[in-house]
Amino acid sequence: MPRSAKISSRIDPELKAEGDAILSAIGLSASDAITMFYRQIVMQKGLPFSANIPNEETLEAMRQARDPAFRAGAKRFKSATEAMTDLDS
């Protein structure tokens, strides 16, 4: 059996450039990242993240989060502790 197999895919060039820059900053190549992804697929026996179709309530929350008027009125916190204190009050 060969020591490696080749994967070929097409992705948006800008996405690749951004991804490659991030991987490089953490010391990984695209090949390293793909190998890690495949190892996780094998370990999880599926995708290592949820790939579900969101329900209508989640879709509405996502639409609101993208709405500049909604975001302008959202509270901002400097830390998780600050957010939790606000939630407790």
Side-chain angles (χ1 to χ4, degrees):
M1 177 179 264
R3 297 206 27 96
S4 65
K6 184 175 181 175
I7 294 176
S8 178
S9 66
R10 296 183 184 278
I11 63 171
D12 179 274
E14 289 179 25
L15 176 62
K16 182 182 183 311
E18 286 183 47
D20 285 348
I22 292 167
L23 290 171
S24 178
I26 59 175
L28 295 172
S29 67
S31 185
D32 294 333
I34 292 167
T35 298
M36 291 170 68
F37 179 59
Y38 267 73
R39 288 193 186 280
Q40 285 297 310
I41 290 169
V42 171
M43 289 172 60
Q44 301 290 328
K45 299 199 181 328
L47 291 174
F49 52 82
S50 177
N52 299 325
I53 298 170
N55 63 27
E56 190 53 44
E57 182 180 4
T58 301
L59 288 170
E60 179 58 27
M62 292 164 68
R63 281 190 282 274
Q64 286 179 358
R66 285 191 289 266
D67 180 358
F70 177 81
R71 290 178 27 206
K75 290 183 179 181
R76 305 252 188 249
F77 302 99
K78 294 180 181 170
S79 69
T81 302
E82 187 180 325
M84 294 305 293
T85 301
D86 184 74
L87 283 171
D88 288 338
S89 63

